[in-house]
PDB file of all heavy atoms in Angstrom:
ATOM      1  N   GLU D   1      20.988 -13.014  12.578  1.00  0.00           N
ATOM      2  CA  GLU D   1      21.767 -11.780  12.603  1.00  0.00           C
ATOM      3  C   GLU D   1      20.919 -10.505  12.701  1.00  0.00           C
ATOM      4  O   GLU D   1      21.174  -9.651  13.513  1.00  0.00           O
ATOM      5  CB  GLU D   1      22.660 -11.660  11.387  1.00  0.00           C
ATOM      6  CG  GLU D   1      23.685 -10.572  11.407  1.00  0.00           C
ATOM      7  CD  GLU D   1      24.602 -10.591  10.218  1.00  0.00           C
ATOM      8  OE1 GLU D   1      24.987 -11.691   9.719  1.00  0.00           O
ATOM      9  OE2 GLU D   1      24.926  -9.446   9.720  1.00  0.00           O
ATOM     10  N   LEU D   2      19.767 -10.443  11.924  1.00  0.00           N
ATOM     11  CA  LEU D   2      18.863  -9.311  12.044  1.00  0.00           C
ATOM     12  C   LEU D   2      18.214  -9.289  13.446  1.00  0.00           C
ATOM     13  O   LEU D   2      18.085  -8.223  14.017  1.00  0.00           O
ATOM     14  CB  LEU D   2      17.777  -9.466  10.986  1.00  0.00           C
ATOM     15  CG  LEU D   2      18.172  -9.042   9.579  1.00  0.00           C
ATOM     16  CD1 LEU D   2      17.061  -9.359   8.581  1.00  0.00           C
ATOM     17  CD2 LEU D   2      18.503  -7.552   9.510  1.00  0.00           C
ATOM     18  N   LEU D   3      17.862 -10.460  13.954  1.00  0.00           N
ATOM     19  CA  LEU D   3      17.210 -10.508  15.272  1.00  0.00           C
ATOM     20  C   LEU D   3      18.224 -10.061  16.370  1.00  0.00           C
ATOM     21  O   LEU D   3      17.824  -9.464  17.391  1.00  0.00           O
ATOM     22  CB  LEU D   3      16.675 -11.869  15.597  1.00  0.00           C
ATOM     23  CG  LEU D   3      15.470 -12.281  14.698  1.00  0.00           C
ATOM     24  CD1 LEU D   3      15.060 -13.746  14.997  1.00  0.00           C
ATOM     25  CD2 LEU D   3      14.288 -11.364  14.889  1.00  0.00           C
ATOM     26  N   GLU D   4      19.492 -10.421  16.205  1.00  0.00           N
ATOM     27  CA  GLU D   4      20.523 -10.001  17.200  1.00  0.00           C
ATOM     28  C   GLU D   4      20.620  -8.522  17.288  1.00  0.00           C
ATOM     29  O   GLU D   4      21.039  -7.970  18.339  1.00  0.00           O
ATOM     30  CB  GLU D   4      21.879 -10.639  16.846  1.00  0.00           C
ATOM     31  CG  GLU D   4      21.896 -12.106  17.218  1.00  0.00           C
ATOM     32  CD  GLU D   4      23.129 -12.805  16.718  1.00  0.00           C
ATOM     33  OE1 GLU D   4      23.858 -12.291  15.813  1.00  0.00           O
ATOM     34  OE2 GLU D   4      23.437 -13.900  17.270  1.00  0.00           O
ATOM     35  N   GLU D   5      20.335  -7.781  16.214  1.00  0.00           N
ATOM     36  CA  GLU D   5      20.300  -6.327  16.287  1.00  0.00           C
ATOM     37  C   GLU D   5      19.204  -5.801  17.197  1.00  0.00           C
ATOM     38  O   GLU D   5      19.228  -4.665  17.646  1.00  0.00           O
ATOM     39  CB  GLU D   5      20.154  -5.730  14.862  1.00  0.00           C
ATOM     40  CG  GLU D   5      21.382  -5.941  14.019  1.00  0.00           C
ATOM     41  CD  GLU D   5      21.286  -5.376  12.618  1.00  0.00           C
ATOM     42  OE1 GLU D   5      20.336  -4.609  12.335  1.00  0.00           O
ATOM     43  OE2 GLU D   5      22.083  -5.748  11.739  1.00  0.00           O
ATOM     44  N   LEU D   6      18.206  -6.630  17.432  1.00  0.00           N
ATOM     45  CA  LEU D   6      17.051  -6.266  18.232  1.00  0.00           C
ATOM     46  C   LEU D   6      17.200  -6.730  19.684  1.00  0.00           C
ATOM     47  O   LEU D   6      16.414  -6.300  20.569  1.00  0.00           O
ATOM     48  CB  LEU D   6      15.727  -6.841  17.677  1.00  0.00           C
ATOM     49  CG  LEU D   6      15.395  -6.455  16.215  1.00  0.00           C
ATOM     50  CD1 LEU D   6      14.199  -7.280  15.712  1.00  0.00           C
ATOM     51  CD2 LEU D   6      15.156  -4.962  16.128  1.00  0.00           C
ATOM     52  N   GLY D   7      18.166  -7.579  19.961  1.00  0.00           N
ATOM     53  CA  GLY D   7      18.339  -8.147  21.275  1.00  0.00           C
ATOM     54  C   GLY D   7      18.953  -9.545  21.201  1.00  0.00           C
ATOM     55  O   GLY D   7      19.642  -9.833  20.194  1.00  0.00           O
ATOM     56  N   GLU D   8      18.738 -10.389  22.204  1.00  0.00           N
ATOM     57  CA  GLU D   8      19.329 -11.713  22.263  1.00  0.00           C
ATOM     58  C   GLU D   8      18.302 -12.783  22.004  1.00  0.00           C
ATOM     59  O   GLU D   8      17.471 -13.063  22.903  1.00  0.00           O
ATOM     60  CB  GLU D   8      20.034 -11.911  23.624  1.00  0.00           C
ATOM     61  CG  GLU D   8      20.778 -13.239  23.702  1.00  0.00           C
ATOM     62  CD  GLU D   8      21.850 -13.397  22.691  1.00  0.00           C
ATOM     63  OE1 GLU D   8      22.520 -12.363  22.356  1.00  0.00           O
ATOM     64  OE2 GLU D   8      22.077 -14.500  22.263  1.00  0.00           O
ATOM     65  N   PRO D   9      18.239 -13.342  20.810  1.00  0.00           N
ATOM     66  CA  PRO D   9      17.261 -14.436  20.550  1.00  0.00           C
ATOM     67  C   PRO D   9      17.532 -15.630  21.411  1.00  0.00           C
ATOM     68  O   PRO D   9      18.694 -15.948  21.714  1.00  0.00           O
ATOM     69  CB  PRO D   9      17.543 -14.799  19.073  1.00  0.00           C
ATOM     70  CG  PRO D   9      18.354 -13.693  18.479  1.00  0.00           C
ATOM     71  CD  PRO D   9      19.068 -13.092  19.642  1.00  0.00           C
ATOM     72  N   SER D  10      16.491 -16.204  21.915  1.00  0.00           N
ATOM     73  CA  SER D  10      16.646 -17.407  22.797  1.00  0.00           C
ATOM     74  C   SER D  10      17.297 -18.531  22.045  1.00  0.00           C
ATOM     75  O   SER D  10      17.194 -18.630  20.798  1.00  0.00           O
ATOM     76  CB  SER D  10      15.270 -17.836  23.330  1.00  0.00           C
ATOM     77  OG  SER D  10      14.481 -18.316  22.287  1.00  0.00           O
ATOM     78  N   ASP D  11      17.898 -19.481  22.779  1.00  0.00           N
ATOM     79  CA  ASP D  11      18.431 -20.658  22.105  1.00  0.00           C
ATOM     80  C   ASP D  11      17.344 -21.478  21.396  1.00  0.00           C
ATOM     81  O   ASP D  11      17.631 -22.019  20.332  1.00  0.00           O
ATOM     82  CB  ASP D  11      19.127 -21.551  23.194  1.00  0.00           C
ATOM     83  CG  ASP D  11      20.421 -20.929  23.736  1.00  0.00           C
ATOM     84  OD1 ASP D  11      20.949 -20.023  23.073  1.00  0.00           O
ATOM     85  OD2 ASP D  11      20.875 -21.377  24.809  1.00  0.00           O
ATOM     86  N   THR D  12      16.188 -21.505  21.936  1.00  0.00           N
ATOM     87  CA  THR D  12      15.085 -22.234  21.347  1.00  0.00           C
ATOM     88  C   THR D  12      14.681 -21.557  20.027  1.00  0.00           C
ATOM     89  O   THR D  12      14.495 -22.313  18.989  1.00  0.00           O
ATOM     90  CB  THR D  12      13.823 -22.195  22.252  1.00  0.00           C
ATOM     91  OG1 THR D  12      14.154 -22.776  23.524  1.00  0.00           O
ATOM     92  CG2 THR D  12      12.713 -23.026  21.647  1.00  0.00           C
ATOM     93  N   LEU D  13      14.619 -20.245  20.005  1.00  0.00           N
ATOM     94  CA  LEU D  13      14.325 -19.565  18.713  1.00  0.00           C
ATOM     95  C   LEU D  13      15.419 -19.739  17.686  1.00  0.00           C
ATOM     96  O   LEU D  13      15.126 -20.017  16.519  1.00  0.00           O
ATOM     97  CB  LEU D  13      14.119 -18.040  18.946  1.00  0.00           C
ATOM     98  CG  LEU D  13      13.771 -17.177  17.771  1.00  0.00           C
ATOM     99  CD1 LEU D  13      12.504 -17.701  17.103  1.00  0.00           C
ATOM    100  CD2 LEU D  13      13.680 -15.730  18.131  1.00  0.00           C
ATOM    101  N   ARG D  14      16.683 -19.665  18.108  1.00  0.00           N
ATOM    102  CA  ARG D  14      17.791 -19.907  17.206  1.00  0.00           C
ATOM    103  C   ARG D  14      17.689 -21.309  16.601  1.00  0.00           C
ATOM    104  O   ARG D  14      17.818 -21.503  15.395  1.00  0.00           O
ATOM    105  CB  ARG D  14      19.138 -19.783  17.922  1.00  0.00           C
ATOM    106  CG  ARG D  14      19.541 -18.397  18.314  1.00  0.00           C
ATOM    107  CD  ARG D  14      20.814 -18.412  19.162  1.00  0.00           C
ATOM    108  NE  ARG D  14      21.087 -17.089  19.744  1.00  0.00           N
ATOM    109  CZ  ARG D  14      21.859 -16.222  19.093  1.00  0.00           C
ATOM    110  NH1 ARG D  14      22.405 -16.522  17.946  1.00  0.00           N
ATOM    111  NH2 ARG D  14      22.070 -15.058  19.615  1.00  0.00           N
ATOM    112  N   LYS D  15      17.419 -22.270  17.442  1.00  0.00           N
ATOM    113  CA  LYS D  15      17.306 -23.643  17.007  1.00  0.00           C
ATOM    114  C   LYS D  15      16.243 -23.853  16.061  1.00  0.00           C
ATOM    115  O   LYS D  15      16.374 -24.519  14.976  1.00  0.00           O
ATOM    116  CB  LYS D  15      17.178 -24.596  18.248  1.00  0.00           C
ATOM    117  CG  LYS D  15      17.105 -26.034  17.853  1.00  0.00           C
ATOM    118  CD  LYS D  15      16.964 -26.911  19.091  1.00  0.00           C
ATOM    119  CE  LYS D  15      16.868 -28.344  18.674  1.00  0.00           C
ATOM    120  NZ  LYS D  15      16.400 -29.169  19.744  1.00  0.00           N
ATOM    121  N   ARG D  16      15.047 -23.251  16.324  1.00  0.00           N
ATOM    122  CA  ARG D  16      13.931 -23.371  15.455  1.00  0.00           C
ATOM    123  C   ARG D  16      14.172 -22.749  14.042  1.00  0.00           C
ATOM    124  O   ARG D  16      13.826 -23.336  13.050  1.00  0.00           O
ATOM    125  CB  ARG D  16      12.688 -22.703  16.118  1.00  0.00           C
ATOM    126  CG  ARG D  16      11.428 -22.634  15.292  1.00  0.00           C
ATOM    127  CD  ARG D  16      10.892 -24.023  14.952  1.00  0.00           C
ATOM    128  NE  ARG D  16       9.867 -23.961  13.969  1.00  0.00           N
ATOM    129  CZ  ARG D  16       8.771 -24.598  13.983  1.00  0.00           C
ATOM    130  NH1 ARG D  16       8.564 -25.469  14.945  1.00  0.00           N
ATOM    131  NH2 ARG D  16       7.887 -24.437  13.060  1.00  0.00           N
ATOM    132  N   ILE D  17      14.864 -21.640  14.027  1.00  0.00           N
ATOM    133  CA  ILE D  17      15.185 -21.009  12.780  1.00  0.00           C
ATOM    134  C   ILE D  17      16.232 -21.882  12.001  1.00  0.00           C
ATOM    135  O   ILE D  17      16.015 -22.104  10.821  1.00  0.00           O
ATOM    136  CB  ILE D  17      15.761 -19.602  13.018  1.00  0.00           C
ATOM    137  CG1 ILE D  17      14.685 -18.620  13.574  1.00  0.00           C
ATOM    138  CG2 ILE D  17      16.394 -18.996  11.735  1.00  0.00           C
ATOM    139  CD1 ILE D  17      15.158 -17.345  14.112  1.00  0.00           C
ATOM    140  N   MET D  18      17.226 -22.405  12.680  1.00  0.00           N
ATOM    141  CA  MET D  18      18.226 -23.183  11.967  1.00  0.00           C
ATOM    142  C   MET D  18      17.663 -24.500  11.518  1.00  0.00           C
ATOM    143  O   MET D  18      18.144 -25.118  10.551  1.00  0.00           O
ATOM    144  CB  MET D  18      19.459 -23.428  12.892  1.00  0.00           C
ATOM    145  CG  MET D  18      20.220 -22.164  13.168  1.00  0.00           C
ATOM    146  SD  MET D  18      20.855 -21.235  11.719  1.00  0.00           S
ATOM    147  CE  MET D  18      21.977 -22.410  11.024  1.00  0.00           C
ATOM    148  N   GLU D  19      16.677 -25.027  12.178  1.00  0.00           N
ATOM    149  CA  GLU D  19      16.040 -26.318  11.799  1.00  0.00           C
ATOM    150  C   GLU D  19      15.081 -26.172  10.607  1.00  0.00           C
ATOM    151  O   GLU D  19      14.757 -27.171   9.930  1.00  0.00           O
ATOM    152  CB  GLU D  19      15.257 -26.905  12.973  1.00  0.00           C
ATOM    153  CG  GLU D  19      16.187 -27.530  14.020  1.00  0.00           C
ATOM    154  CD  GLU D  19      15.416 -27.957  15.243  1.00  0.00           C
ATOM    155  OE1 GLU D  19      14.202 -27.676  15.424  1.00  0.00           O
ATOM    156  OE2 GLU D  19      16.043 -28.705  16.073  1.00  0.00           O
ATOM    157  N   GLN D  20      14.645 -24.948  10.281  1.00  0.00           N
ATOM    158  CA  GLN D  20      13.730 -24.704   9.186  1.00  0.00           C
ATOM    159  C   GLN D  20      14.437 -24.922   7.876  1.00  0.00           C
ATOM    160  O   GLN D  20      15.460 -24.399   7.613  1.00  0.00           O
ATOM    161  CB  GLN D  20      13.168 -23.307   9.249  1.00  0.00           C
ATOM    162  CG  GLN D  20      12.172 -22.952   8.153  1.00  0.00           C
ATOM    163  CD  GLN D  20      10.998 -23.884   8.075  1.00  0.00           C
ATOM    164  OE1 GLN D  20      10.888 -24.667   7.152  1.00  0.00           O
ATOM    165  NE2 GLN D  20      10.095 -23.776   9.027  1.00  0.00           N
ATOM    166  N   LYS D  21      13.860 -25.841   7.037  1.00  0.00           N
ATOM    167  CA  LYS D  21      14.522 -26.148   5.754  1.00  0.00           C
ATOM    168  C   LYS D  21      13.758 -25.696   4.526  1.00  0.00           C
ATOM    169  O   LYS D  21      14.179 -25.866   3.424  1.00  0.00           O
ATOM    170  CB  LYS D  21      14.711 -27.705   5.639  1.00  0.00           C
ATOM    171  CG  LYS D  21      15.584 -28.256   6.825  1.00  0.00           C
ATOM    172  CD  LYS D  21      16.957 -27.606   6.796  1.00  0.00           C
ATOM    173  CE  LYS D  21      17.828 -28.158   7.931  1.00  0.00           C
ATOM    174  NZ  LYS D  21      18.870 -27.206   8.331  1.00  0.00           N
ATOM    175  N   ASP D  22      12.595 -25.096   4.783  1.00  0.00           N
ATOM    176  CA  ASP D  22      11.763 -24.573   3.647  1.00  0.00           C
ATOM    177  C   ASP D  22      12.262 -23.193   3.317  1.00  0.00           C
ATOM    178  O   ASP D  22      12.118 -22.244   4.069  1.00  0.00           O
ATOM    179  CB  ASP D  22      10.286 -24.579   4.076  1.00  0.00           C
ATOM    180  CG  ASP D  22       9.368 -24.202   2.869  1.00  0.00           C
ATOM    181  OD1 ASP D  22       9.763 -23.399   2.042  1.00  0.00           O
ATOM    182  OD2 ASP D  22       8.282 -24.726   2.920  1.00  0.00           O
ATOM    183  N   ILE D  23      12.820 -23.050   2.126  1.00  0.00           N
ATOM    184  CA  ILE D  23      13.432 -21.777   1.690  1.00  0.00           C
ATOM    185  C   ILE D  23      12.369 -20.660   1.603  1.00  0.00           C
ATOM    186  O   ILE D  23      12.696 -19.508   1.892  1.00  0.00           O
ATOM    187  CB  ILE D  23      14.195 -21.963   0.338  1.00  0.00           C
ATOM    188  CG1 ILE D  23      15.062 -20.741   0.110  1.00  0.00           C
ATOM    189  CG2 ILE D  23      13.261 -22.176  -0.795  1.00  0.00           C
ATOM    190  CD1 ILE D  23      16.382 -20.784   0.669  1.00  0.00           C
ATOM    191  N   LYS D  24      11.127 -21.002   1.231  1.00  0.00           N
ATOM    192  CA  LYS D  24      10.039 -20.004   1.161  1.00  0.00           C
ATOM    193  C   LYS D  24       9.734 -19.494   2.519  1.00  0.00           C
ATOM    194  O   LYS D  24       9.506 -18.265   2.753  1.00  0.00           O
ATOM    195  CB  LYS D  24       8.858 -20.562   0.479  1.00  0.00           C
ATOM    196  CG  LYS D  24       9.034 -20.817  -1.022  1.00  0.00           C
ATOM    197  CD  LYS D  24       7.844 -21.425  -1.686  1.00  0.00           C
ATOM    198  CE  LYS D  24       8.105 -21.733  -3.127  1.00  0.00           C
ATOM    199  NZ  LYS D  24       6.961 -22.384  -3.747  1.00  0.00           N
ATOM    200  N   VAL D  25       9.646 -20.334   3.519  1.00  0.00           N
ATOM    201  CA  VAL D  25       9.378 -19.957   4.889  1.00  0.00           C
ATOM    202  C   VAL D  25      10.479 -19.063   5.346  1.00  0.00           C
ATOM    203  O   VAL D  25      10.245 -18.005   5.996  1.00  0.00           O
ATOM    204  CB  VAL D  25       9.158 -21.163   5.777  1.00  0.00           C
ATOM    205  CG1 VAL D  25       9.098 -20.817   7.259  1.00  0.00           C
ATOM    206  CG2 VAL D  25       7.942 -21.965   5.421  1.00  0.00           C
TER     207      VAL D  25
END
C-alpha cells in the first residue's frame, strides 16, 4: 500500500513481498 502511493509495484515485487514470512524483515 505504501509503495502504491509511489507508483505501481511490479507483480514480481508484490509477489516477493507477500512471500516474505519473516516478521522482522
Side-chain angles (χ1 to χ4, degrees):
E1 189 176 322
L2 283 172
L3 294 175
E4 285 173 339
E5 291 179 14
L6 302 174
E8 184 60 34
S10 69
D11 289 341
T12 304
L13 180 58
R14 287 174 188 269
K15 183 179 176 192
R16 176 63 191 223
I17 292 168
M18 293 305 294
E19 286 175 346
Q20 179 56 253
K21 300 302 177 204
D22 186 328
I23 194 87
K24 290 179 182 176
V25 170

